[in-house]
Amino acid sequence: ELKVEQNPLFLSMQEGKNYTIYCNYSTTSDRLYWYRQDPGKSLESLFVLLSNGAVKQEGRLMASLDTKARLSTLHITAAVHDLSATYFCAVEYNNNDMRFGAGTRLTVKP
Amino acid sequence: NAGVTQTPKFQVLKTGQSMTLQCAQDMNHEYMSWYRQDPGMGLRLIHYSVGAGITDQGEVPNGYNVSRSTTEDFPLRLLSAAPSQTSVYFCASSSQMNTGERDYGYTFGSGTRLTVV
């Protein structure tokens, strides 16, 4: 059974600091996604990672994938308040089934 | 280009009632799916469809039915609502489902908040 574990589940950061969110999964997958969700809103696609060693960056966020370790990371650089949201990783396997982690609720404080 | 449209946004049902959550996309995406989101559990896949006339079960299909008569629409039916089905429901779609690259991830609708009393 595919399991997707994120940690931490809650993260409170000071503005300007760096931190990393981890996503571990249990079974070989086709691709891995990172999504952002603001309170009461829908999900916004941030990154799609397709292969081992893939690294993608957008602004202060950088995502990486290690398929051998079954680990993806979302690194936050010099956090700002606008990054406060819940971040989900999701792992797709069998080309149809996408399983989500429980989410990391990030709060960036001034 | 509206993307993925879900209706209604909010709904309250009594136990045992039935209803249909609507989902429509205008991006000609082959793949559509329904998720439910419960606190602390992320999103869980209910049903999905890889094209018109084709549907399959996801992780938590019990109590829900789907059909896909057109590429655009993918309604979710609750046959006899139960309090355990109180949740936020999201519909999602994507393209190039079976041909490899899907660089843009899934497009999600705005969600339907369902309460069963």
Side-chain angles (χ1 to χ4, degrees):
Chain A
E1 177 185 355
L2 179 63
K3 293 185 178 180
V4 182
E5 295 183 346
Q6 278 183 246
N7 68 85
L9 298 182
F10 299 93
L11 177 57
S12 180
M13 298 176 62
Q14 293 292 124
E15 279 192 332
K17 298 294 186 181
N18 304 332
Y19 210 83
T20 300
I21 299 170
Y22 297 89
C23 176
N24 291 90
Y25 55 98
S26 60
T27 306
T28 301
S29 75
D30 298 323
R31 50 182 62 82
L32 187 139
Y33 302 87
W34 284 96
Y35 290 92
R36 169 182 171 144
Q37 186 179 37
D38 292 300
K41 302 294 186 182
S42 186
L43 280 77
E44 173 191 359
S45 180
L46 295 174
F47 301 108
V48 181
L49 303 171
L50 300 175
S51 59
N52 189 44
V55 177
K56 290 192 176 180
Q57 183 164 4
E58 181 72 32
R60 300 176 188 274
L61 301 178
M62 183 175 70
S64 66
L65 178 63
D66 181 343
T67 58
K68 295 179 180 178
R70 294 177 184 164
L71 171 68
S72 179
T73 62
L74 181 67
H75 187 71
I76 302 157
T77 302
V80 294
H81 178 70
D82 286 351
L83 290 179
S84 296
T86 299
Y87 293 86
F88 291 96
C89 68
V91 177
E92 187 177 59
Y93 73 113
N94 293 337
N95 219 21
N96 293 319
D97 197 341
M98 187 161 64
R99 302 295 176 96
F100 282 77
T104 297
R105 184 176 296 180
L106 171 66
T107 303
V108 181
K109 299 181 177 179
Chain B
N1 189 342
V4 178
T5 302
Q6 289 185 238
T7 57
K9 294 189 182 300
F10 302 93
Q11 182 71 48
V12 179
L13 289 179
K14 294 182 179 179
T15 298
Q17 286 185 318
S18 63
M19 79 159 295
T20 300
L21 280 63
Q22 302 291 343
C23 176
Q25 53 92 8
D26 60 359
M27 298 171 284
N28 203 31
H29 284 173
E30 303 92 339
Y31 183 82
M32 298 184 73
S33 53
W34 277 101
Y35 293 84
R36 60 177 288 173
Q37 184 177 28
D38 301 297
M41 298 185 71
L43 280 75
R44 291 181 292 169
L45 180 64
I46 304 172
H47 285 286
Y48 63 92
S49 169
V50 301
I54 306 169
T55 64
D56 208 342
Q57 296 180 350
E59 187 182 1
V60 288
N62 292 339
Y64 308 95
N65 277 358
V66 292
S67 60
R68 184 97 179 268
S69 56
T70 66
T71 300
E72 294 78 18
D73 299 300
F74 190 45
L76 178 72
R77 297 182 186 85
L78 283 71
L79 303 178
S80 178
S84 61
Q85 294 178 304
T86 294
S87 188
V88 180
Y89 292 84
F90 287 99
C91 178
S93 72
S94 69
S95 66
Q96 297 178 304
M97 180 270 305
N98 276 329
T99 57
E101 292 300 315
R102 212 174 329 168
D103 290 332
Y104 304 105
Y106 288 65
T107 301
F108 282 81
S110 58
T112 296
R113 187 175 295 273
L114 175 68
T115 302
V116 182
V117 298

